[in-house]
């Protein structure tokens, strides 16, 4: 991508992620994966590594693969380790002149496979400095097994393991801030992205992550109509509200330098993001106003801190 | 080697690829997910400005693009989620009830 971002040019590239996969209608993961892989230059090949996830079970069912590139899946907890092994083997062969061309290494994991189960192998791969990108498509729960809470699930969200009733009112804890944890690994590039607008955000961050040497991390918001309980056609609107309410701020950290990549013209109240989603419905019941206040206070505090860090 | 298109429920295991590996790219395209649709998008070509905003939002890669123009939907893969109708600024896509493409 030597020139500026041009959507028309990018969508005309041959697709690396095909139709015919079994992800649900309106799934955010399909959009995120297409968006990331579209950033690859046409002449380069990729090795796609996948943690166990919705994405894995839906896009790679024998004899069908939705990838135009090589693909490997081994388990839930070791996708980053698997990727780092393939990357190390590739570079060993490359040094001996046994492979031609450029191969990039991209790992996809859901939030369960990244925030929770695959966290140790991710941390290890980042520390060892492999030339790879780890992309977390964050749909904020274990959607594949039936919407169980993960450490990425936000406070008050209803899941099947944090139900709403007389005893509980959704998840009790706040969402883990994984992007910040990855930044603390002092990797060359880490960013938080979302599928919005003309995809410039996701595309440019993916390109940087793929073509920056060393371990890079992308955390991409991936709305899930089943788990978040909203009509499938509303995906773009939900993703837009997540960034405009600063629930999911867009930023990148390059060589330790924090930079906000999007500042909402008008920071919307967090209710605007919560209201269209069934998983937060109970927060709008009478007597639960304190939940909205708490959610707003948490977002404000995180946003203020991010503004300080980025010097915006 | 046996090809993905020739593998089905009746293929004996001796004929499958060793280790269950897949040697062809993008074989998912052989699989029809168009039957999942309960709503179907209608493309109004006259209203389309080919801004391409709908293309990256399609989770099923079901909006083909050729020579700077977006073409009609790939109804073999479109699952009818309706995201494209919502992101189109020119009302060039409308969803209709039912799974059959109404041409």
């Amino acid at each position: 991508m030597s020139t500026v971002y041009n959507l028309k040019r990018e969508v005309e590239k041959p697709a690396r992620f095909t139709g015919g996969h079994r992800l649900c209608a309106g799934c955010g993961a399909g959009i995120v994966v297409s968006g990331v892989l579209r950033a690859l230059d046409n002449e380069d090949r990729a090795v796609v590594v996948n943690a166990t996830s919705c994405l894995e079970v839906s896009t790679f069912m024998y004899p069908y693969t939705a990838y135009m590139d090589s693909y490997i899946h081994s388990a839930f907890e070791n996708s980053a380790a698997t990727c780092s092994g393939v990357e190390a083997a590739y570079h060993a062969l490359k040094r001996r002149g046994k492979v031609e061309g450029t191969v990039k290494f991209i790992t996809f994991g859901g939030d369960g496979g990244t925030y929770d189960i695959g966290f140790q192998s991710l941390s290890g791969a980042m520390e060892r400095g492999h030339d790879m990108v780890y992309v977390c498509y964050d749909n904020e729960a274990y959607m594949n097994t039936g919407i169980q809470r993960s450490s990425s699930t936000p406070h008050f969200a209803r899941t099947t393991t944090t139900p709403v009733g007389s005893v509980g009112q959704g998840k009790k804890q706040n969402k883990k801030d994984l992007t910040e944890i990855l930044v603390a690994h002092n990797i060359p590039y880490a960013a938080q992205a979302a599928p919005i607008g003309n995809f410039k955000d996701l595309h440019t961050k993916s390109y940087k992550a793929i073509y920056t040497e060393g371990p890079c991390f992308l955390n991409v918001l991936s709305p899930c109509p089943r788990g978040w309980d909203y009509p499938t056609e509303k995906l773009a609107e939900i993703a837009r509200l997540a960034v405009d309410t600063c629930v999911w701020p867009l930023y990148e950290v390059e060589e330790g330098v924090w930079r906000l990549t999007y500042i909402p013209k008008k920071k919307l109240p967090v209710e605007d993001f919560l209201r269209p989603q069934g998983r937060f419905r109970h927060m709008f019941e009478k007597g639960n106003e304190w939940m909205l206040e708490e959610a707003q206070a948490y977002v404000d505090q995180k946003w203020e801190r991010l503004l300080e860090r980025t010097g915006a | 080697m046996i090809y993905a298109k020739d593998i089905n429920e009746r293929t004996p295991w001796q004929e499958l690829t060793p280790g269950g590996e897949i040697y062809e790219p993008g074989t998912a395209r052989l699989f029809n997910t168009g039957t999942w649709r309960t709503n179907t998008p209608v493309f109004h070509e006259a209203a389309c400005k080919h801004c391409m905003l709908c293309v990256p939002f399609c989770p099923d890669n079901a909006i083909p693009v050729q020579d700077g123009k977006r073409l009609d939907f790939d109804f073999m893969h479109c699952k009818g989620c309706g995201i494209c109708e919502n992101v189109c600024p020119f009302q060039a896509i409308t969803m209709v009830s039912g799974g059959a493409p109404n041409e």
Side-chain angles (χ1 to χ4, degrees):
Chain A
M1 197 178 60
S2 49
T3 45
V4 286
Y5 176 69
N6 179 330
L7 174 65
K8 286 194 177 190
R9 187 186 61 224
E10 295 303 330
V11 294
E12 204 144 341
K13 283 175 165 178
R16 287 171 182 264
F17 184 73
T18 72
H21 58 69
R22 296 357 141 60
L23 289 163
C24 302
C27 175
I31 300 171
V32 169
V33 172
S34 310
V36 172
L37 294 179
R38 196 179 293 119
L40 279 158
D41 288 332
N42 279 342
E43 63 275 19
D44 292 343
R45 290 173 293 165
V47 171
V48 176
V49 184
N50 205 177
T52 306
S53 57
C54 281
L55 183 70
E56 181 260 319
V57 299
S58 318
T59 60
F60 205 80
M61 304 168 84
Y62 189 78
Y64 301 113
T65 169
Y67 302 89
M68 298 303 285
D69 294 287
S70 305
Y71 175 97
I72 182 170
H73 161 256
S74 55
F76 219 137
E77 64 277 21
N78 60 9
S79 56
T82 305
C83 188
S84 59
V86 183
E87 184 266 353
Y90 163 75
H91 279 102
L93 291 170
K94 184 100 183 156
R95 272 196 302 277
R96 289 172 216 164
K98 288 188 175 168
V99 273
E100 281 173 17
T102 305
V103 181
K104 304 308 289 184
F105 297 86
I106 305 172
T107 310
F108 291 103
D111 52 289
T114 309
Y115 283 67
D116 297 346
I117 305 175
F119 182 64
Q120 44 77 24
S121 75
L122 169 61
S123 182
M126 297 288 119
E127 184 267 330
R128 290 190 301 273
H130 295 277
D131 187 10
M132 61 179 270
V133 191
Y134 192 103
V135 182
C136 173
Y137 72 97
D138 188 352
N139 53 26
E140 305 194 317
Y142 288 85
M143 301 310 185
N144 184 28
T145 45
I147 320 166
Q148 289 85 13
R149 61 88 87 185
S150 75
S151 60
S152 163
T153 306
H155 197 183
F156 301 117
R158 181 193 70 205
T159 68
T160 51
T161 45
T162 57
V164 174
S166 53
V167 178
Q169 292 287 317
K171 194 188 168 194
K172 290 191 176 73
Q173 300 82 4
N174 277 314
K175 182 184 170 94
K176 186 199 270 184
D177 196 330
L178 187 72
T179 316
E180 282 193 24
I181 298 172
L182 266 295
V183 170
H185 284 67
N186 289 320
I187 52 180
Y189 188 76
Q192 209 159 270
I196 50 161
N198 67 356
F199 277 63
K200 186 181 176 196
D201 175 73
L202 181 59
H203 186 92
T204 46
K205 285 172 182 168
S206 301
Y207 190 88
K208 272 190 197 175
I210 293 168
Y211 288 101
T212 299
E213 210 184 316
C216 298
F217 176 76
L218 280 182
N219 204 356
V220 192
L221 189 70
S222 172
C224 169
R226 300 291 303 121
W228 296 14
D229 196 359
Y230 70 86
T232 52
E233 67 271 17
K234 295 287 176 207
L235 180 134
E237 196 182 314
I238 300 266
R240 171 60 70 180
L241 285 168
V243 299
D244 278 342
T245 54
C246 301
V247 167
W248 187 260
L250 303 178
Y251 65 93
E252 59 185 10
V253 185
E254 246 178 310
E255 299 293 352
V257 180
W258 294 64
R259 193 172 77 86
L260 266 182
T261 51
Y262 176 78
I263 302 172
K265 283 196 186 71
K266 183 172 180 288
K267 182 168 171 285
L268 299 175
V270 69
E271 285 139 82
D272 292 5
F273 172 68
L274 305 176
R275 194 176 288 110
Q277 302 177 53
R279 61 177 175 156
F280 298 119
R281 194 173 293 135
H282 56 288
M283 297 174 76
F284 293 90
E285 280 167 18
K286 215 173 152 45
N288 286 350
E289 291 79 7
W290 65 274
M291 294 183 186
L292 292 172
E293 283 162 28
E294 238 178 71
Q296 184 68 60
Y298 182 70
V299 168
D300 289 347
Q301 181 209 341
K302 297 281 287 179
W303 178 245
E304 284 303 318
R305 209 165 70 156
L306 187 61
L307 287 177
E308 266 172 44
R309 279 187 162 148
T310 53
Chain B
M1 188 192 77
I2 188 166
Y3 291 102
K5 67 175 172 49
D6 301 320
I7 296 173
N8 58 49
E9 289 80 354
R10 292 169 192 278
T11 310
W13 65 268
Q14 294 92 335
E15 290 176 19
L16 299 180
T17 48
E21 287 180 353
I22 304 172
Y23 294 97
E24 307 153 82
T27 47
R29 287 174 294 184
L30 298 166
F31 192 81
N32 186 352
T33 53
T35 55
W36 295 17
R37 271 197 311 280
T38 53
N39 293 317
T40 300
V42 180
F43 176 48
H44 308 289
E45 204 181 341
C48 179
K49 304 260 192 273
H50 303 284
C51 69
M52 307 297 172
L53 285 175
C54 56
V55 180
F57 269 112
C58 178
D60 296 292
N61 193 35
I63 304 178
V65 181
Q66 204 176 52
D67 303 325
K69 302 252 186 244
R70 71 143 284 180
L71 312 176
D72 199 1
F73 291 93
D74 164 7
F75 286 109
M76 183 173 160
H77 296 129
C78 168
K79 293 171 188 155
C81 65
I83 296 173
C84 53
E85 182 198 33
N86 273 252
V87 298
C88 178
F90 305 108
Q91 287 80 49
I93 302 163
T94 44
M95 297 301 290
V96 294
S97 165
N102 56 344
E103 295 307 331

